[in-house]
Structure formats: C-alpha cells, structure tokens
Amino acid sequence: MKLIHQFISVINPFIRKQISLSSLQFRLTLELVLLSILGLSSVAFWAGWQLSQNLIIAHKGTLEYISARFPEQVELYSEMGSIEVGLNRSVYKASTDGVMVWVKRNDGMLLVNSPGMDMQSTKITQMISLTKVPTYPSLIYISDRYLVICARTLTIKNNLVGTVYFSKDITLEKNQLNHSIRSLIWVSILVILLLMLAIASRIRHALRPLQQMSQVASTLSAEDLKAAKLELHQAPDEILGLAQTFNQMLLRLSDSWEQQRQFVGNVSHELRTPLTVVLGYLQSLLRRGTNFSDYQKQALETAIGETERTIRMLEDLLNLARADSGNLHFAVNPVVLNTLVAEVAAMSQNVSNRQIILISNDQQVVACADQNRLQQVLINLVDNAIKYSSPEQPVELKLEKTEKQAIIHICDRGIGISLAHQNRIFERFYRVDESMTRSRDGTGLGLAIAKSLIEGMEGHITLRSKPGEGSIFTIILPLWNP
Ligand code: ADP
C-alpha cells in the first residue's frame, strides 16, 4: 500500500504538470532507469547463464570421469570371470547417482544396461541410438528431457566389444535452475521498479531548487526586485552556488533599477521647471498676440497642448519617484465613496458624453482614503474604460462593501487585455502593443500611478479581463472604522 502511495506521488507530477518530454527531469529519469534496466538484466542474464553452465559442466565432468574409467573397470572385473560378468559389474557400479549405462554390440544388440532403466528410459535409449552420440559429454534435449550423454567404443584386451553409452538425466535440476532463474528475473523486475521510484523521486528532489529558481524568476517584477531572494537550505553545493549567483544578479538588477528610477526622478524634476516657464510664455504669447495668422495660432495651441501633456507626464513621474522613496504623503480621512463615485461618474459622463452607470445598494460605504488621490485614480480608470471601449458601450461603476473592505469595480465592455499583458499592465510605461491601443492617446503611466497611489492608501488594485469581452479593474480599500 505504502509502495502504491509512493508510486502515485512520484508519477503525480508527470500527470498533473504534464512534464515535458524534453525536460531534464524526464530525460535524467529515463536515462537512469534505462541504464539500471540494462545493468540489472545483464547481471540476471549472466548469473542465470553462469549457473546453468556450472550445472552442465559439473555433470559433464562426472560423466567424463565415469566414461574414462569404464574400460579399465571392465578389464579389472573380467579378470575375476568372463567379460559379461565384468560388463555387468562395471555397469552396475557406474549406474549410481542417476547415471544410465548400456552397452551395445556393433550389430545393435543390447549387451547390458543399468538396472532400473524403465520404459521411458528405454524409449530415450532408442532415441539416443538414432542420433549421433558424441564422444565427449554433451547436453541434448530430447522429448522434454535434458540429458548429458556420451558414447565410447569399448575395447577389452584388444577385442572390440561394442559401444558403451552413458547418460545422465538432469531435467529435474535443469527445471529447478530454470525456476530459480525465473525467480531471479521477477526479483530483478521488482528491483528495477523500486529503482525507478527511487531514481524518479531523487531526481525530482534534486531538481526542486531549479524549479524554485524558475518560479522566483517568473514571478519577478521590477517592483519586487529588492525583496526577491532565493532561499535554499538543503541543496547540493553546485545549486547553492547557482542560487548565490542568482541572488547577486538580483541585487545588481535591483541597484541599477533604483539608479534608473532616481535618474528618471531627477530628470523629471529638472525638466518640469523650464517646461513650466515655456508653457507660461506660450500661453501669454497666445493671449496677447493680436496679429497671428490662423496657422501660427494653431501651431501655438499645439505647442501648448504638447507642453501641458509633457508637464503632466513629468508630474506623474515625479509622483512615482516620490512614492518609491516614501516621500509621497497621503491625507487619509474617512471618504464617503457613494458621493465620490457619483461625482466621478457625473464628471466623466459630462466630459465624454458616454453613459456611466452607477450600481450600488443604498448602504453607505465609508473608506479610509486620500480623497483627491482616490478621485485621480478613479478618473484615470474611467478614462481608460471609455478610451478602450466603443462609444455605444456604457461604463459601469459598482460600489460594494464587505465586513472590512470597501470595493469599487470599474467595468467596461471594451477590447479587454490578454492574460499575457495582465501581469505587466501595472508596470511603468507598459502599453499593450497593439494597433488598437497604440493609436489612442496615452503614456502608459496611468495604471502604474493608480497602483502606487492605492497601495499608498493601504489598499490594492486588481484586474480581471478577457480580450474582446471587456475589463474589470477593482479597487479594494480598508473600511473606515471610527
Ligand atoms: P495609457 O496612458 O496608455 O492609457 P495606462 O497605464 O492607463 O496608460 O494603461 C496602460 C495600458 O493598459 C494601455 O496602453 C492599454 O493598452 C491598457 N489598458 C488600460 N486600461 C484598459 C482597459 N480598460 N481596456 C483595455 N486596455 C486597457
């Protein structure tokens, strides 16, 4: 039972995760299992063959000895009487231990044979007489029986008596040996299965740190580079070394990311002041100029529009830089979300001429939040919902509350965002690289700011979306608890 459980636990990852056939885990397991099958089956085969050879060689040796001494013995016993007596005695003496001996004259007549040669044995004798019997003891297989046999020409005192045959039936021993070999094969199969389990589980265990590494790397984003660290305790030295290098690389990445952020913050700060001055001059030029042609006026308006957009972007970047360094301050107070969400809906509806539906039950929802910043986030999300859906589709704002949380859903039935982009959508400057969104105005900073502001208010923001069906951005904030 325990074995079955272990087996299931080992093959489970293969079934559940459908481990790729080209994965290191699969290949190593397969190679080692094949090698152990090869190794064990060779040992089993060799051991079986060796045992069988030993058995045959031992019996051949006995028969060789008996057959070599037989003429000598006949001669010895013949001295006490006739050759027949000598033959009978010698055959009787040689027929111990299952050895059958019989002597035939050259004309085929049986002169003498071992006592107790039954019918079956006689049948064998006849069969043997049909085949050419070798002089040196050999193993033959006749009528389901294994026999070691040999034959010698018998010459006594220079007289040719005939041929003496020796045979030993080793079927029983051979069958016992075959039975042992079969048991050996079963034991080998069992050992191979156990080895397979042990190898698969060992390899899975050994490769776990690599899986951990890949998990850390796959979930890593620029935001959590600083906190990301691979903690391995019971890994081999090589993997520990790799993990250490991986952690050092994360540290370097985090440092350079930090420098890049600081650089962006500094540049934004340095650019904002001169750009504000440029905007002031452009606006006053447009206000005071009286003799501008239409083309000049349009050029000035475009320049003002672009400068305003750039200043807004620089302000967003500065806010992000402040949030990163913890210098963005929040005036967290009780905020009646019913009012705030209704205001945002009305404002966006006026500006965009799009239907904004507010869905809430009558209960009042008061959250802990910075009203202005929350309003900024809501406007941004509603603006996106309008931007990325077709004009006839309404945008819905749903207000809910649970025991401890206030929840606002901003839902649209627009183009949606694929799963691959959803993981990165809150990163700075990240925009879905599709012509449908590229053509729309934007910087790719809105969602990054929304995330950083909401998290600054101890809340969080999530996204559920399906391409072609729409998106739902959800803001969760702590409820006000007086
Ligand atoms: P942008 O200024 O480009 O709108 P955001 O950070 O607000 O920047 O959004 C980043 C990207 O996320 C957008 O470029 C767009 O591809 C995608 N996106 C945001 N909101 C939606 C939405 N409601 N529906 C589909 N895509 C959206």
Side-chain angles (χ1 to χ4, degrees), residues 384 387-388 412 417 425 430-432 437 442-444 446-447 471:
N384 275 351
K387 232 179 356 178
Y388 299 111
D412 66 66
I417 303 166
I425 208 78
Y430 190 82
R431 303 192 71 205
V432 177
T437 60
T443 57
L447 290 180
S471 313

Side-chain angles (χ1 to χ4, degrees), residues 152-209:
R152 273 171 187 261
T153 312
L154 187 61
T155 315
I156 306 291
K157 293 177 186 159
N158 294 329
N159 293 327
L160 179 70
V161 180
T163 310
V164 54
Y165 296 88
F166 300 89
S167 150
K168 171 125 202 230
D169 188 345
I170 60 164
T171 312
L172 190 68
E173 281 142 298
K174 188 83 171 111
N175 284 346
Q176 275 170 354
L177 185 74
N178 285 349
H179 177 74
S180 306
I181 291 174
R182 268 197 298 279
S183 307
L184 189 71
I185 289 171
W186 282 116
V187 170
S188 306
I189 292 173
L190 194 73
V191 171
I192 285 171
L193 280 176
L194 289 175
L195 267 176
M196 257 166 78
L197 288 177
I199 289 170
S201 108
R202 188 69 201 101
I203 288 177
R204 193 157 58 100
H205 191 258
L207 292 181
R208 201 170 292 156

Side-chain angles (χ1 to χ4, degrees), residues 309 316 380-389 410-418 421 424-434 436-438 440-450 463 465 470-473:
R309 205 175 79 85
D316 283 348
N380 195 322
L381 293 178
V382 174
D383 192 35
N384 275 351
I386 294 170
K387 232 179 356 178
Y388 299 111
S389 60
I410 299 99
C411 323
D412 66 66
R413 288 176 217 149
I415 56 173
I417 303 166
S418 68
H421 293 297
R424 304 197 55 199
I425 208 78
F426 292 102
E427 287 177 18
R428 287 158 208 201
F429 295 109
Y430 190 82
R431 303 192 71 205
V432 177
D433 192 15
E434 280 160 18
M436 287 167 94
T437 60
R438 274 274 172 242
R440 291 164 168 88
D441 195 24
T443 57
L445 282 174
L447 290 180
I449 296 221
L463 163 67
S465 184
S471 313
I472 304 175
F473 282 89

Side-chain angles (χ1 to χ4, degrees), residues 18 67 93 107 115-116 177 188 197 204 209 215 261 269 284 290 296 326 336 362 365 367 402 410 443-444:
Q18 291 183 338
S67 66
K93 194 139 194 279
D107 57 8
L177 185 74
S188 306
L197 288 177
R204 193 157 58 100
Q215 247 167 22
R261 278 180 171 180
H269 190 261
S284 93
T290 46
Q296 283 170 325
V336 181
D362 287 337
V365 186
T402 63
I410 299 99
T443 57

